[in-house]
Amino acid sequence: MEMCLTCSVLYAKTTLGSEGSLGIVTKVSILTPPKLSSVNVAFLACTDYLSCQKLLLEARRKLGEVLSAFEFLDEQAMDLALNHLEGVRNPLPPALHKFYVLIETTGSDEHSDREKLEAFLVHSMEEGLISDGVVAQDIQQASSVWNIREGIPEALMKAGAVYKYDLSIPVEKIYDLVEEMRNKLGHLARVVGYGHLGDGNLHLNISCPQYDDAVLAQIEPFVYEWTSKHHGSISAEHGLGLMKADKIFYSKSPAAVQLMASVKNLLDPNHVLNPYKVLPQSLSSP
């Protein structure tokens, strides 16, 4: 889960939210609410994925309205960050842990918010959900923790070739895909999992020394079929775009896709609005 303050309101000529394929921005109004004064960041270690799930449930119960981010990354993602990002240090030395969770709270009452977070951490430690952890003491420490999570894509690029998948999967099934892909590929590639756990958004990354058609053949269409079988979506926060347009049927029924194409053809008969995106080209040709 990753939430942020709304900073703009878009007034569009027609429907937005379709990767620009049905919308033209004609006016932008910037809203600038005051920055909330209380921000806390905790970086925690868990021994297994089930503990991460339980920790999410506890965070929702105990932190409620101040919970603003709940991110997770696995040991492989942390190892890449430590080895390929400049200036990054292990917040929980000396060893690596199987899973990490980054929690951020954002509110207006510093004392109350801190008390809530501390009570949540104590309870989670007593329940055995956390094996180690640290709470950032200032903005520099908070930034260094966020740099680990946000720097993983850069670390992957520095490590070599990478096949990237942005998937929406039921939270209880998210890491099953990572493990199945890891078993399927064996020593051919390194499989890395991280993402926005509260949203059920998995960033599945397969890292190799170089791009290899044999590796890709093991990944696709397996990753799409698996996601569809478990009632997920092959497109999460980054959308379908151009490369996944022909894969839309893994997430939508033929009838739904045909209806989308009909709306597109009605509102944009000449196909000048962000063409070749979202819908298969066979259904979106002028």
Side-chain angles (χ1 to χ4, degrees):
M1 176 175 56
E2 188 170 51
M3 299 177 286
C4 62
L5 291 176
T6 301
C7 62
S8 63
V9 177
L10 301 180
Y11 296 90
K13 183 178 181 180
T14 184
T15 308
L16 291 178
S18 54
E19 298 191 25
S21 63
L22 294 176
I24 299 174
V25 176
T26 59
K27 181 179 180 181
V28 177
S29 177
I30 304 297
L31 304 178
T32 55
K35 182 179 179 180
L36 294 177
S37 58
S38 172
V39 178
N40 294 290
V41 174
F43 195 69
L44 313 171
C46 298
T47 57
D48 52 42
Y49 181 69
L50 181 59
S51 295
C52 296
Q53 294 181 66
K54 291 180 177 179
L55 198 63
L56 173 61
L57 293 176
E58 285 302 306
R60 285 173 167 165
R61 291 191 187 106
K62 300 291 194 305
L63 300 176
E65 73 286 352
V66 299
L67 182 64
S68 54
F70 194 103
E71 306 283 317
F72 95 102
L73 55 145
D74 62 14
E75 180 180 6
Q76 289 77 8
M78 173 61 85
D79 183 62
L80 280 167
L82 293 175
N83 284 289
H84 294 282
L85 296 179
E86 186 177 349
V88 169
R89 295 182 179 179
N90 188 349
L92 304 174
L96 291 180
H97 298 267
K98 293 296 183 182
F99 293 92
Y100 296 89
V101 167
L102 188 159
I103 293 177
E104 181 184 80
T105 65
T106 306
S108 57
D109 189 327
E110 184 174 355
H111 178 70
S112 175
D113 294 349
R114 191 77 173 193
E115 279 192 340
K116 276 187 178 182
L117 179 60
E118 290 175 353
F120 159 76
L121 294 175
V122 169
H123 174 77
S124 299
M125 189 73 76
E126 291 174 346
E127 292 295 312
L129 302 181
I130 302 171
S131 55
D132 200 357
V134 63
V135 177
Q137 298 303 305
D138 53 43
I139 191 170
Q140 287 77 19
Q141 290 185 10
S143 295
S144 67
V145 169
W146 269 112
N147 285 341
I148 294 173
R149 164 61 184 86
E150 294 176 339
I152 296 173
E154 178 186 346
L156 283 158
M157 294 298 291
K158 289 182 176 180
V162 58
Y163 299 93
K164 305 170 74 69
Y165 299 88
D166 175 44
L167 310 165
S168 177
I169 301 173
V171 172
E172 65 275 12
K173 293 291 185 180
I174 278 182
Y175 210 72
D176 289 351
L177 175 56
V178 178
E179 292 178 330
E180 288 197 34
M181 185 61 71
R182 196 169 283 154
N183 291 334
K184 185 177 178 66
L185 292 174
H187 297 294
L188 290 175
R190 170 183 276 194
V191 181
V192 176
Y194 69 98
H196 318 300
L197 195 59
D199 289 339
N201 181 193
L202 170 68
H203 296 306
L204 176 70
N205 290 257
I206 292 93
S207 176
C208 312
Q210 59 189 15
Y211 291 106
D212 187 333
D213 288 342
V215 172
L216 182 59
Q218 292 290 311
I219 302 170
E220 297 182 15
F222 173 79
V223 66
Y224 298 129
E225 293 171 345
W226 193 99
T227 301
S228 178
K229 177 182 177 182
H230 291 86
H231 310 291
S233 171
I234 65 167
S235 168
E237 66 174 323
H238 298 304
L240 284 168
L242 177 64
M243 295 181 66
K244 290 184 180 179
D246 290 332
K247 307 293 192 302
I248 191 173
F249 295 103
Y250 286 106
S251 294
K252 298 291 183 182
S253 69
V257 175
Q258 186 59 59
L259 179 60
M260 294 166 67
S262 298
V263 173
K264 168 73 171 174
N265 292 330
L266 178 64
L267 298 178
D268 180 24
N270 296 321
H271 292 261
V272 296
L273 299 178
N274 204 12
Y276 318 118
K277 307 291 177 64
V278 183
L279 295 171
Q281 193 168 350
S282 61
L283 297 178
S284 58
S285 300

